[in-house]
Amino acid sequence: QVQLVESGGGLVQAGGSLRLSCAASGRTYSNSAMGWFRQTPGKEREFVAAISWSGISTYYRRSVRGRFTISRDTAKNTMYLQMNSLKPDDTAVYYCAAEPSRGSELLTSGDEYGYWGQGTQVTVSS
């Protein structure tokens, strides 16, 4: 079992930065593949970034490469998403996800994750 709680969302002007955190609890967190997704009203949830259990392997959707950085701190049981050079198109509710059974993989589909947080709103004004 993994429980996830996101924080760090808010309102920021275009070009600004935010850092999202995903605090995890549960014995299998350190072995979990993890990821960030986002969703806006009327649209399907979309993949943002993924990280393996070791933190060594990462993968990003094309539109955020070079601007977002995913990382994890196993000692703190926390995953992060550093978001720089934010654009209005980045506005969404951001969710973190975890999957303990596939820790070495980079999972890019929401259907591959078994555990989700409640989401945190990110709003980027132009």
Side-chain angles (χ1 to χ4, degrees):
Q1 290 284 344
V2 180
Q3 293 81 43
L4 305 172
V5 178
E6 301 97 334
S7 62
L11 173 64
V12 64
Q13 289 188 333
S17 298
L18 283 174
R19 188 176 79 159
L20 305 183
S21 298
C22 175
S25 60
R27 292 183 297 173
T28 56
Y29 162 77
S30 61
N31 297 327
S32 297
M34 299 194 71
W36 287 97
F37 289 76
R38 65 189 182 187
Q39 188 170 23
T40 55
K43 293 186 178 181
E44 292 188 357
R45 178 179 57 197
E46 65 181 21
F47 165 78
V48 177
I51 190 167
S52 63
W53 72 270
S54 66
I56 294 175
S57 299
T58 59
Y59 185 74
Y60 302 87
R61 71 178 295 108
R62 182 174 298 181
S63 64
V64 307
R65 288 175 192 168
R67 300 189 298 121
F68 290 11
T69 302
I70 188 172
S71 63
R72 64 192 297 171
D73 186 332
T74 301
K76 296 183 178 180
N77 281 4
T78 303
M79 176 178 67
Y80 304 97
L81 186 67
Q82 177 66 45
M83 305 186 295
N84 299 328
S85 302
L86 282 161
K87 304 175 181 180
D89 285 349
D90 295 318
T91 296
V93 177
Y94 283 71
Y95 298 90
C96 66
E99 177 48 54
S101 68
R102 302 172 65 179
S104 63
E105 301 179 54
L106 295 171
L107 307 180
T108 61
S109 171
D111 293 340
E112 297 177 298
Y113 288 91
Y115 299 92
W116 293 85
Q118 83 290 348
T120 185
Q121 176 71 47
V122 171
T123 302
V124 184
S125 64
S126 57

